């Protein structure tokens, strides 16, 4: 049987699934409602019936059993209470994945392997949470890929011409902003640097529009507008109107009064200017960090639905001093790239000759998007007390896969224990207060030894951006190891998906 390889873009606001056809072309698979993208919204009809997508979206913001934007909470302990049962963001995401899976399988047979895309700046826990959501949905996912890398892959594939040089992928979707600088030579793609803001996207623009409408309603009627009288969906519709028109008229009929409000593009653009400024700073930093300038870039490629906004295009042009390029359909590029990637990673015996040819020249290397370190005691010869600091092992921008070992030493005579930890940070940071501890453990040492015994610490990071760390006492070969990957017990689903009917 022919294998069914799919790429899934699990988005904050919309998700998409793409499949590599037998000729090696990635194609978007429409959902059972005939849409190319599916709103990442989950609505519980009762304890066991869940609706995902457009129907759920119509009641999002109004119905208390309907949830969205949970991608932003991946890897956190946020809970959603429905019919007296608690669900975590992993479970809600697995419903979306299940819907995409089932709709695809209706016409194309069982999915044999899937790749799910992840924002480049997702922390380790959020990556693991995504893998667990996929597993819960019954998908076989061996690999994940950063969203901008997937978009770059599709761009390189679809451009038809040999690409050569440095490109920026500017990805602004519903919930996250990512900017990546990639080097492309033919089908070789190397990610040079990647940065982003994990809570910035179309959803925040919708909220700004809601704020404007609330204020105008209050001014006109003297009353507070109830959220259900101008929902997130309403805001999104009017926001899209403002992408092509200078103003939009909003009719509100609520128990508090009936009014027609007008919001101009200028008012809306002013309200989001601080958010846009944040993206601009991130773009400048991502180039600075690798000592590149805008003159080094061949093209700027726009990905994600929010790049349809004229103010975004203007901002990009201002920062990069160049007109950006757009895909025909910016919301599909990531999923389409993921379908190419799944073939690239798959066992070649699963591929048709044409599929093999489509990916034969592709070569991708990705980089780490965070710094990883451990806390160490720095001794000062003049003082007996040491200073506890963060010491970086894996630097941001390190080519994957990578493995870095550093030697440390025990401090005092008869030391019987070492506290081991793993830290994560966006910048090179010594101060422990400003980094996130993503793991803590200890290593017991044999007693009765002098100070200065060698401790080897190794951090290895693979292409899925999951990490293994070991802390080894060299003399006794005692070790503490942690695999910060799928098996992380802290992140779990709280459901058995088979208990649910998902439409
Ligand atoms: P994505 O995650 O790439 O599908 O992007 C989804 C986001 O793009 C949502 O916040 C949409 O509201 C937004 N979006 C899609 N089309 C437009 C448009 N024409 N104007 C403004 N925002 C848009």
């Amino acid at each position: 049987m022919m294998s069914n390889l799919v790429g899934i873009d699990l988005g904050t606001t919309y998700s998409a699934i793409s499949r590599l056809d037998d000729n090696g072309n990635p194609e978007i698979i429409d959902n059972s409602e005939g849409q190319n993208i599916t709103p990442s919204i989950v609505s519980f009809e009762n304890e066991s019936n869940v609706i995902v997508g457009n129907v759920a979206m119509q009641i999002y913001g109004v119905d208390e059993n309907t949830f969205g934007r949970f991608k932003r909470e991946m890897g956190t302990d946020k809970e959603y209470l429905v019919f007296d049962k608690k669900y975590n963001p992993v479970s809600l995401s697995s419903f979306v994945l299940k819907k995409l899976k089932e709709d695809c399988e209706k016409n194309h047979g069982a999915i044999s392997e899937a790749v799910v895309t992840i924002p480049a700046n997702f922390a380790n826990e959020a990556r693991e949470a995504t893998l667990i959501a996929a597993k819960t949905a019954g998908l076989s996912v061996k690999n994940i890929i950063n969203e901008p890398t997937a978009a770059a892959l599709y761009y390189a594939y679809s451009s038809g011409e040999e690409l050569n040089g440095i490109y920026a992928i500017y990805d602004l979707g519903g919930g996250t902003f990512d900017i990546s600088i990639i080097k492309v030579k033919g089908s070789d793609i190397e990610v040079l640097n990647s940065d982003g803001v994990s809570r910035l996207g179309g959803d925040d623009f919708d909220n700004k529009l809601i704020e404007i409408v609330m204020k105008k309603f209050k001014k006109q009627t003297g009353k507070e507008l109830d959220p259900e009288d101008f929902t997130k969906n309403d805001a999104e519709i009017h926001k899209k109107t403002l992408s092509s028109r200078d103003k939009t008229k909003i009719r509100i009929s609520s128990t508090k009064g009936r009014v027609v409000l007008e919001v101009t593009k200028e008012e809306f653009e002013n309200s989001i200017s601080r958010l846009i400024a944040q993206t601009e700073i991130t773009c400048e930093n991502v180039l600075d960090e690798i000592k590149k300038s805008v003159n080094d870039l061949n093209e700027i490629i726009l990905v994600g639905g929010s790049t349809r906004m004229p103010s975004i295009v203007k901002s990009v042009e201002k920062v990069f001093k160049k007109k950006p390029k757009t895909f025909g359909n910016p919301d599909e590029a990531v999923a389409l790239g993921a379908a190419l990637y799944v073939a690239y990673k798959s066992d070649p015996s699963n591929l048709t000759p044409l599929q093999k040819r489509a990916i034969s020249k592709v070569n991708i290397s990705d980089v780490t998007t965070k710094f990883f370190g451990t806390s160490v005691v720095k001794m000062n010869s003049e003082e007996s007390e040491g200073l506890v600091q963060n010491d970086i092992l894996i630097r941001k921008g390190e080519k994957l896969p990578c493995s870095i070992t550093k030697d440390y030493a025990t401090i005092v005579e008869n030391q019987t224990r070492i506290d081991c930890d793993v830290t994560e940070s966006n910048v090179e940071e010594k101060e422990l207060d400003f980094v996130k501890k993503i793991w803590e453990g200890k290593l017991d040492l044999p007693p009765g030894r002098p100070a200065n015994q060698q401790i080897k610490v190794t951090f290895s990071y693979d292409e899925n951006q999951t990490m293994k760390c070991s802390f080894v006492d060299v003399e006794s070969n005692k070790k503490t190891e942690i695999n910060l990957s799928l098996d992380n017990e802290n992140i779990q689903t709280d459901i058995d998906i088979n208990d649910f009917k998902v439409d």
Side-chain angles (χ1 to χ4, degrees):
M1 206 187 77
M2 212 43 83
S3 52
N4 189 12
L5 307 172
V6 303
I8 299 178
D9 172 9
L10 180 63
T12 310
T13 47
Y14 291 92
S15 296
I17 182 164
S18 159
R19 164 181 187 275
L20 202 65
D21 72 13
D22 293 347
N23 297 325
N25 300 315
E27 56 175 8
I28 289 285
I29 306 299
D30 286 353
N31 63 19
S32 54
E33 292 84 49
Q35 299 166 309
N36 61 338
I37 51 176
T38 302
S40 308
I41 310 228
V42 168
S43 178
F44 288 77
E45 284 193 306
N46 54 43
E47 291 91 339
S48 56
N49 278 11
V50 176
I51 298 178
V52 176
N54 222 25
V55 176
M57 181 161 162
Q58 277 154 18
I59 50 172
Y60 177 56
V62 184
D63 175 64
E64 58 175 5
N65 297 325
T66 301
F67 306 95
R69 317 312 186 234
F70 34 83
K71 177 174 174 180
R72 288 181 163 190
E73 310 299 336
M74 287 298 259
T76 70
D77 46 18
K78 169 134 179 147
E79 288 177 327
Y80 302 80
L81 188 68
V82 203
F83 298 117
D84 292 332
K85 205 178 159 237
K86 287 178 189 154
Y87 295 85
N88 62 21
V90 173
S91 306
L92 297 183
S93 300
S94 69
F95 290 130
V96 176
L97 290 167
K98 171 106 172 173
K99 153 94 176 156
L100 298 172
K101 173 179 184 281
E102 291 193 339
D103 284 0
C104 173
E105 290 185 339
K106 267 178 208 154
N107 291 323
H108 300 286
I111 291 173
S112 33
E113 204 178 320
V115 156
V116 180
T117 64
I118 314 260
N121 63 336
F122 247 17
N124 216 44
E125 290 135 328
R127 290 171 189 274
E128 290 156 15
T130 308
L131 277 166
I132 294 168
K135 208 170 152 194
T136 308
L139 287 164
S140 158
V141 176
K142 294 199 197 103
N143 298 286
I144 55 178
I145 181 172
N146 285 334
E147 286 163 10
T149 314
L153 184 53
Y154 181 64
Y155 183 73
Y157 165 88
S158 66
S159 73
E161 54 194 80
E162 186 93 339
L163 301 182
N164 198 352
I166 298 178
Y167 296 77
I169 308 271
Y170 179 105
D171 182 355
L172 187 60
T176 49
F177 167 64
D178 275 314
I179 176 79
S180 301
I181 308 299
I182 57 164
K183 195 169 153 191
V184 188
K185 190 163 191 290
S187 305
D188 277 4
I189 301 173
E190 187 183 341
V191 180
L192 300 178
N193 200 11
S194 212
D195 206 345
V197 187
S198 58
R199 285 169 182 264
L200 200 165
D203 213 26
D204 302 283
F205 305 149
D206 299 342
N207 287 338
K208 289 287 177 196
L209 191 57
I210 292 175
E211 278 174 26
I212 298 177
V213 171
M214 292 251 174
K215 266 193 210 139
K216 291 202 169 196
F217 185 86
K218 177 97 192 268
K219 202 167 169 202
Q220 255 175 266
T221 65
K223 293 178 190 145
E224 299 290 340
L225 181 65
D226 291 327
E228 59 266 30
D229 291 327
F230 187 71
T231 63
K232 274 187 172 290
N233 285 338
D234 298 329
E236 193 187 2
I237 292 165
H238 287 284
K239 174 188 73 176
K240 287 181 181 170
T241 305
L242 289 173
S243 290
S244 55
R245 294 176 167 270
D246 286 339
K247 57 186 174 215
T248 182
K249 280 197 184 332
I250 303 172
R251 187 195 318 196
I252 295 176
S253 59
S254 77
T255 49
K256 307 255 178 83
R258 285 168 169 231
V259 290
V260 177
L261 307 170
E262 189 179 275
V263 179
T264 65
K265 186 187 237 163
E266 198 184 344
E267 285 171 314
F268 174 60
E269 290 186 350
N270 285 340
S271 77
I272 62 168
S273 61
R274 285 177 71 166
L275 296 172
I276 294 186
Q278 244 182 302
T279 64
E280 291 173 355
I281 293 166
T282 313
C283 290
E284 283 159 10
N285 284 345
V286 84
L287 284 171
D288 281 353
E289 278 175 3
I290 50 169
K291 306 204 164 36
K292 297 270 180 229
S293 88
V294 291
N295 300 327
D296 296 318
L297 298 175
N298 287 39
E299 309 268 15
I300 297 93
I301 299 149
L302 300 184
V303 183
S306 295
T307 61
R308 290 204 178 92
M309 289 166 61
S311 51
I312 296 298
V313 179
K314 243 187 274 162
S315 147
V316 172
E317 223 177 308
K318 187 180 93 188
V319 174
F320 293 101
K321 303 187 173 62
K322 208 177 266 159
K323 259 198 188 338
K325 287 240 169 184
T326 48
F327 281 105
N329 198 346
D331 343 65
E332 294 179 352
V334 170
L336 291 164
L340 288 165
Y341 190 67
V342 69
Y344 169 67
K345 284 303 221 179
S346 181
D347 185 332
S349 66
N350 295 331
L351 306 179
T352 67
L354 287 173
Q355 286 176 334
K356 267 187 221 156
R357 202 162 82 187
I359 52 108
S360 61
K361 287 183 271 151
V362 173
N363 191 9
I364 304 170
S365 61
D366 215 335
V367 292
T368 54
T369 54
K370 309 248 183 229
F371 288 89
F372 295 94
T374 189
S375 60
V376 295
V377 182
K378 290 259 155 104
M379 293 306 284
N380 183 329
S381 52
E382 265 126 63
E383 291 166 29
S384 55
E385 286 283 293
L387 181 66
V388 187
Q389 282 187 335
N390 185 43
D391 195 50
I392 304 285
L393 277 102
I394 294 184
R395 302 184 63 77
K396 181 174 167 183
E398 195 84 48
K399 217 170 175 174
L400 298 180
C402 66
S403 181
I404 285 151
T405 301
K406 266 188 156 182
D407 282 324
Y408 299 94
T410 57
I411 316 167
V412 290
E413 199 180 308
N414 213 4
Q415 185 169 336
T416 54
R417 186 182 132 146
I418 286 178
D419 291 325
C420 310
D421 57 28
V422 179
T423 65
E424 181 185 279
S425 55
N426 287 319
V427 290
E428 186 163 12
E429 179 62 66
K430 285 208 167 102
E431 197 66 56
L432 279 162
D433 286 344
F434 300 128
V435 300
K436 190 162 134 198
K437 267 199 186 149
I438 56 173
W439 181 75
E440 274 179 283
K442 65 182 175 73
L443 173 61
D444 288 322
L445 303 172
R449 295 192 305 174
N452 222 7
Q453 298 291 306
Q454 189 187 9
I455 306 291
K456 250 188 199 321
V457 179
T458 303
F459 285 11
S460 310
Y461 211 90
D462 70 14
E463 284 109 326
N464 281 336
Q465 309 232 359
T466 52
M467 191 160 60
K468 290 195 180 100
C469 305
S470 72
F471 298 77
V472 184
D473 174 41
V474 174
E475 193 213 45
S476 68
N477 203 27
K478 278 188 144 193
K479 54 181 92 161
T480 285
E481 287 172 312
I482 168 80
N483 187 353
L484 289 164
S485 65
L486 256 184
D487 305 323
N488 188 340
E489 286 167 10
N490 295 328
I491 301 167
Q492 280 174 351
T493 179
D494 41 20
I495 56 158
D496 177 348
I497 200 110
N498 297 318
D499 294 340
F500 295 86
K501 181 171 170 286
V502 181
D503 292 311

